[in-house]
Amino acid sequence: MKLIAVSKTHPSEQIMEAYRAGQSDFGENKVQELISKAPLLPNDINWHLIGHLQSNKLKYIAPFIHTIHSVDSLKLLSLIQKEAQKNNRTIECLLQVHIAMEETKFGMSEAELTSLLTSGEHLTMDHIRIRGLMGMASFTDDMDQVRGEFRYLRSLFMKIKQTFFAEKEFFNQLSMGMSSDYHVAIEEGSTMVRIGSSIFGERNYSS
Ligand SMILES: *Cc1c(COP(=O)(O)O)cnc(C)c1O
C-alpha cells in the first residue's frame, strides 16, 4: 500500500514536515502549483499529478514528474511519451476511469479504455510505463455506493490486466481512495491511496 500525501493548497513548509517524518510521495492536482513548489523541496520526492492535465502544460512537469494518475486519452499518452523522451526519462502513468455518478469527473469509460489499449499504440511508447488504473468514487456519504464503484474498478483492473498486460509485472497499481473513503478503497483492493485533508487538515482555497 502506497500513501500519496495530497499537498494541494498547502505550503512547502508543511510538505517538508511530512517529508522529514518519512513521507516520500506527494500529490498535486494543478501543474502551476506543482511547479512552484517542487523546486523548493528535496529532489528525491516522488511527485504525482492527480488532477486533470492540459496537454500544453505537460512540458513543465515532464522533467521531474514521477507518476501521472489522470491519463484519459491516447493523445495525452503519446504526448507524455514525447515529452518524456525529450527529457530522456520514463514517466509512470495510470489510466483514469470514470466510476462516479457525477458527470463532472474526468476519466474514461470502460469502452474508451478498452479501445485505447486495443489500438496497441501504447506498446510502441518506450518512455512511458502504464502501471495501472485510477478512479474517484462519487461524492456521497453512501458508502455502499462508493464500495460498489471501487469494486467495479478493481474488477475492471483485473480484466484489463488479464487481457492487455498478462505478462507485465509492472501493471500492478490501483489508485483509489481519499480521506473520506480510503478505508473502503483498501478493503476493495486499492494499492495507492491519495490522502489530503486527513494529513494536512482542511484546505484553505482563499489564501
Ligand atoms: C484533492 C484530491 C484528493 C485528496 O482529497 P482529500 O479528501 O483531501 O483526501 C485525492 N484525489 C484527487 C484526484 C484529488 O484531487
Side-chain angles (χ1 to χ4, degrees):
M1 171 64 50
K2 193 171 266 311
L3 168 64
I4 315 301
V6 176
S7 47
K8 63 190 186 200
T9 78
H10 298 291
S12 53
E13 291 77 19
Q14 259 186 293
I15 300 175
M16 197 57 210
E17 206 178 312
Y19 174 83
R20 285 208 195 90
Q23 179 62 25
S24 60
D25 290 71
F26 292 87
E28 291 279 343
N29 69 336
K30 293 204 174 82
V31 167
Q32 207 55 48
E33 191 175 342
L34 178 53
I35 60 176
S36 72
K37 285 180 194 169
L40 310 172
L41 288 153
N43 57 18
D44 62 346
I45 283 180
N46 296 328
W47 289 104
H48 297 246
L49 187 79
I50 60 173
H52 182 67
L53 176 59
Q54 285 173 279
S55 45
N56 61 339
K57 301 215 170 130
L58 178 59
K59 57 177 180 291
Y60 302 115
I61 59 169
F64 68 92
I65 195 76
H66 183 275
T67 303
I68 299 176
H69 289 232
S70 46
V71 179
D72 60 1
S73 70
L74 186 57
K75 186 166 157 256
L76 184 55
L77 203 58
S78 41
L79 266 169
I80 298 171
Q81 155 71 14
K82 211 165 102 187
E83 291 297 325
Q85 185 167 34
K86 274 190 206 162
N87 287 279
N88 198 20
R89 305 183 61 228
T90 298
I91 296 178
E92 313 227 322
C93 296
L94 298 172
L95 302 174
Q96 185 174 356
V97 181
H98 179 103
I99 57 171
M101 296 183 290
E102 296 99 57
E103 296 278 329
T104 53
K105 301 254 168 88
F106 294 102
M108 292 178 277
S109 65
E110 179 170 347
E112 289 166 332
L113 173 65
T114 303
S115 122
L116 185 158
L117 294 169
T118 304
S119 79
E121 293 203 39
H122 63 285
L123 297 171
T124 65
M125 301 178 186
D126 51 355
H127 288 265
I128 58 149
R129 175 164 285 171
I130 300 176
R131 296 294 312 271
L133 304 182
M134 181 273 219
M136 285 173 87
S138 294
F139 185 69
T140 172
D141 291 334
D142 180 355
M143 283 300 137
D144 291 336
Q145 172 71 27
V146 167
R147 185 180 297 279
E149 291 166 0
F150 286 150
R151 192 165 290 180
Y152 164 71
L153 186 58
R154 157 87 180 168
S155 73
L156 182 58
F157 170 81
M158 295 306 288
K159 195 154 88 182
I160 293 291
K161 183 167 177 61
Q162 208 167 34
T163 313
F164 299 102
F165 297 93
E167 260 106 65
K168 305 290 199 287
E169 283 286 322
F170 59 77
F171 189 88
N172 59 6
Q173 296 298 324
L174 187 52
S175 169
M176 59 186 197
M178 317 177 17
S179 294
S180 58
D181 56 20
Y182 71 88
H183 46 289
V184 178
I186 291 168
E187 284 168 6
E188 296 301 331
S190 173
T191 67
M192 277 185 180
V193 288
R194 310 176 309 270
I195 298 187
S197 43
S198 291
I199 296 173
F200 294 108
E202 291 304 314
R203 284 182 283 280
N204 181 359
Y205 284 102
S206 63
S207 63

